[in-house]
Each structure stands twice: as structure tokens, then as C-alpha cells.
């Protein structure tokens, strides 16, 4: 897979656009830059990898939810996994079809359930018996039937960061087998509900197909048990979570996952749903930033940059690694040994917290104030997790298509932030 972000003639390019000093002057920093081609390519790669199954990809909107990005995915035929009424509104505003939306999430409010029913989304991925009861009441009141897929917690360990593990019995997500059995057995008491399937999502940034296989080995017999009870179980949603490699900035694992999962599902009567987020969006985006100060303390050298935990929280929240490299470089860092990369530095942001870093103890070439850096693989859980901490405006999002740059969300100003308080 060729990356949409390449070093050519000594400068980083996104598709055909040179991310040089002029670019930074024009659009300012920090800024998120997305490649349209990369979104399309990552979607198509997954679609091809799972082509041995009757599978539908539902892009996980939460990973990168800009309207223009959703539009690109709608155009290539993606369906959408959402977790709030707000995300439903995003998909519809981007021109997506309500019948291609599946709605997951713990703690959906009544107004969100009602909104989704009114919009006639494809189905709800419910997370508890009480949620089903509330949805049943709302559906009956509206004279509608809610199509429901039940999220089960298969209790497998996906071996990822504990904050993004979701399918172990200590996690808040879904129902366990016993609770699931009790709920499905009540189907006749719930006339506003049409049970249609089973959902599992075991975690995120998963590197190995084994936990998916384990989850399926538990889910499949259960799905057949439900069919034997007379329930019309059509859908098996196996969730998202396919990891990427943040060091090489590649999406190598999708094929391996598909190879491990396909044989288990090939002869099953279910339509398979997948909910990838990161494996589509992470390597379709970078965050660009400029050095605002350089200082040392003891043995540490600090490169102080204009992007911080308010723009990209992953390094400080999960100790996540994102490749960071100068925009001007003859060589891509993947082709360098540690020693060739340069002296150590902590790349830190402007926020008043010691946890505000983008990368600690990184080997980087010597930099000057004003030099630009790329923080790679930032398309997923980047902008969407940004905040206004320290009253910093959220960065703009730019979408590149060939040689064309489009500002798909402008930089937030202080006035944007103050307006809500002045109007209050
Ligand atoms: N489906 C459900 C029900 C989910 O909760 C998630 C992610 C996905 C699909 C998509 O997972 P993906 O393919 O992107 O791994 N903020 C964290 C990740 C949190 C994931 C939340 N749920 C991070 O930055 O690593």
C-alpha cells in the first residue's frame, strides 16, 4: 500500500500538494490534513480483504467525523456506525442514507432513541435490557417497530490498552450470555422490537486476529441457538478494532484478520457487519505543527510546538506513539536507523500540564524555531477528541484531493468560543 503522505524532493507531500513553508503560512498551524485518496483506498482495501463474505463495512464515524470525510465514504458505498444522535445528524447532513446507519453506544438517551426511530435508521445495537425496554415503549408510542441487534460481551481479552478494551466482562459494554439469553427469550413481551442479530466489539487497536476468532467461536453457537428459538437472526456484527502500525504508518493487518475470520463465517447464513474506524481514518490524516521554542533542562531537550494535548490527546491519554518528523527531510523516517535520526528531544505542547506531550525522548534532526513537523497517523481519534483547554481554538481540517486543498473546517477563533457564553 502506498501512503498518501510521502517525502518527495526533500519535502513531505500529501497526494500532489507540497506541505512546505508557504502551505503553513497559508493555512496556519496546528492543522489536520486529510487525504481523500487514502480514505477511499483504506475503505476499498478492507472491502476487498473481506470480499469472501457477504460483508458490509459500517465506517465508525467517531474516529473522524468531518462532514466532507463522511461524504467521501458515503460516495464509495460505506455504511456508518454511529454512537449519538449528533453522529446520525452528521451522516444525514453529509448526504448519507438513514438506512445505512447502525446506532451503538451505552447510555443512549430517550430523545436519541426517538430521533433515530423517526429518521428510520437501519438498526439499533442495544447494550442493555433496560435500553430495549425504553426503546420498545418509544416505538409503541410512535406506532413503529425498532429493528434491534443485541451487543453481547464475549469476555475475550483483545490484548490492547486497558482504556480501549471493551469485550471483557469487567467492561461496561453489552450484555453477558446469560443476560442476552434472558432478553431474547422475552421477545414476545416486546412488540415494539424486532430482534435481528448479534453485535460484538471487543476493543480497539487490536494487532492479532485470535481474539476475534475466540469471540466468534462463542458468538456463532449462540446465534444458532437463537435461530432454533424461532428468532430471525440475520446480522452478525463483528465490530471494529483492526489495528494499524503507528511506526511504519501502514494498515498491514486487515488482510490477516480477513484470512482468519473468513473461514469461520463463509458458510454461515448471516450478513456480516464490520465497524472499522482507525483502519480507515488513522493513516489518512496528519497533524502539522510548528516549533515555537527550543529549550533544555538537565539532560532533556524540549521542542515546544504549537500543537498540544488539546489538539491530539492520544499520546498523553494512552501513551500512544505517533511518528513525528520534520516536514523538510530528504528521507522518510522509516528508512532511518535510530542513530541516523538525530539527537533526543521531547516534543511538547503549549498547555500548562507536564502530561502535554506529543512524543517523549524522540530522536529528531536539529530544528529551528518556525520549522514544521508532521505528527503522523493522526486521522483517527485526533480532531474528534480535540478540546478547547486553555481556551485554544480547535485546529482547522483540510482535505486534499490530488493537487486541490479544501478547508473542510475552518480554524476556531476565540470569538467562536466566547459566543456561547455571551449569548447565555
Ligand atoms: N464499533 C464500536 C462499537 C466502537 O466502540 C468502536 C470504537 C469502533 C467500532 C471502532 O473501533 P476502531 O476500528 O476505530 O478501533 N480513542 C481511542 C479509541 C476508542 C475506540 C472507541 N470505540 C484511541 O484513540 O485509540
Amino acid at each position: 500500500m502506498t501512503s498518501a503522505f510521502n517525502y518527495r524532493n526533500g519535502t513531505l507531500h500529501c497526494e500532489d500538494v507540497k506541505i512546505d513553508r508557504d502551505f503553513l503560512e497559508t493555512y496556519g498551524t496546528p492543522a489536520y490534513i486529510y487525504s481523500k485518496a487514502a480514505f477511499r483506498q483504506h475503505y476499498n482495501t478492507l472491502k476487498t480483504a473481506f470480499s469472501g463474505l457477504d460483508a458490509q463495512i459500517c465506517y465508525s464515524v467517531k474516529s473522524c467525523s468531518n462532514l466532507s470525510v463522511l461524504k467521501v465514504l458515503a460516495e464509495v458505498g460505506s455504511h456508518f456506525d454511529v454512537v449519538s444522535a449528533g453522529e446520525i445528524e452528521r451522516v444525514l447532513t453529509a448526504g448519507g442514507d438513514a438506512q445505512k446507519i447502525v446506532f451503538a453506544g451505552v447510555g443512549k438517551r430517550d430523545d436519541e432513541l426517538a430521533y433515530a426511530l423517526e429518521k428510520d435508521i437501519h438498526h439499533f445495537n442495544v447494550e442493555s435490557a433496560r435500553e430495549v425496554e425504553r426503546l420498545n415503549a418509544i416505538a409503541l408510542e410512535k406506532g413503529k417497530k425498532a429493528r434491534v441487534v443485541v451487543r453481547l460481551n464475549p469476555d475475550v481479552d483483545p490484548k490492547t490498552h486497558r482504556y480501549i478494551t471493551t469485550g471483557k466482562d469487567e467492561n461496561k459494554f453489552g450484555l453477558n450470555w446469560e443476560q442476552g439469553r434472558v432478553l431474547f427469550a422475552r421477545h414476545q413481551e416486546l412488540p415494539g422490537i424486532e430482534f435481528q442479530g448479534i453485535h460484538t466489539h471487543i476493543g480497539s487497536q487490536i494487532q492479532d486476529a485470535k481474539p476475534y476468532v475466540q469471540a466468534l467461536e462463542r458468538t456463532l453457537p449462540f446465534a444458532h441457538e437463537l435461530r432454533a428459538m424461532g428468532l430471525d437472526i440475520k446480522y452478525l456484527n463483528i465490530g471494529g478494532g483492526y489495528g494499524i502500525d503507528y511506526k511504519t504508518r501502514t494498515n498491514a493487518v486487515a488482510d490477516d484478520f480477513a484470512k482468519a475470520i473468513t473461514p469461520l463465517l463463509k458458510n454461515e447464513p448471516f450478513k456480516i457487519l464490520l465497524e472499522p474506524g482507525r483502519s480507515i481514518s488513522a493513516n489518512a490524516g496528519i497533524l502539522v505543527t510548528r516549533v515555537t521554542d527550543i529549550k533544555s533542562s538537565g539532560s532533556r531537550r524540549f521542542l515546544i510546538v504549537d500543537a498540544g494535548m488539546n489538539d491530539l490527546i492520544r499520546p498523553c491519554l494512552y501513551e500512544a506513539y505517533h511518528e513525528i518528523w520534520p516536514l523538510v527531510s530528504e528521507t522518510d523516517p522509516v528508512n532511518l536507523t535510530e542513530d541516523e535520526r538525530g539527537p533526543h528531544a521531547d516534543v511538547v505542547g503549549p498547555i500548562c500540564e507536564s502530561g502535554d506531550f506529543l512524543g517523549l525522548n524522540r530522536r529528531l534532526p536539529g530544528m529551528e524555531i518556525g520549522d514544521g513537523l508532521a505528527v503522523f497517523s493522526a486521522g483517527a481519534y485526533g480532531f474528534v477528541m480535540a478540546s478547547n483547554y486553555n481556551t485554544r481554538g480547535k485546529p482547522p481540517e483540510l482535505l486534499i484531493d490530488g493537487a486541490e486543498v479544501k478547508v473542510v473546517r475552518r480554524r476556531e477563533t476565540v470569538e467562536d468560543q466566547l459566543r456561547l457564553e455571551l449569548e447565555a
Side-chain angles (χ1 to χ4, degrees), residues 60 62-63 81 104 151 164 199 201 203-205 239-242 275-279 314 318 381 385:
S60 194
K62 68 174 83 69
S63 73
D81 154 52
R151 180 166 181 178
I164 51 176
H199 174 220
H201 169 75
S204 197
Q205 183 52 7
Y242 320 119
E275 297 174 333
R278 186 188 320 261
S279 49
R314 303 194 71 258
Y318 315 113
Y381 308 109
M385 293 177 82

Side-chain angles (χ1 to χ4, degrees), residues 7 12 324-329 331 333 364-367 371-374 376:
Y7 284 90
L12 184 68
I324 303 174
W325 198 248
L327 294 172
V328 174
S329 172
T331 327
L364 285 162
M367 304 280 299
D371 286 351
L373 286 163
F376 287 96

Side-chain angles (χ1 to χ4, degrees), residues 58-63 81-83 104-105 125 127 151 160-161 163-164 166 173 199-206 212 237-243 246 274-281 312-314 317-318 320 322 380-382 384-385:
C58 306
Y59 169 67
S60 194
V61 170
K62 68 174 83 69
S63 73
D81 154 52
V82 304
V83 285
N125 289 325
E127 304 244 5
R151 180 166 181 178
T160 183
H161 192 284
Y163 288 3
I164 51 176
T166 51
F173 300 97
H199 174 220
T200 54
H201 169 75
I202 54 177
S204 197
Q205 183 52 7
I206 299 172
Y212 289 98
N237 183 334
I238 61 173
Y242 320 119
Y246 280 91
L274 310 160
E275 297 174 333
R278 186 188 320 261
S279 49
I280 292 178
S281 53
L312 178 68
I313 202 172
R314 303 194 71 258
L317 189 58
Y318 315 113
H322 284 261
Y381 308 109
V384 289
M385 293 177 82

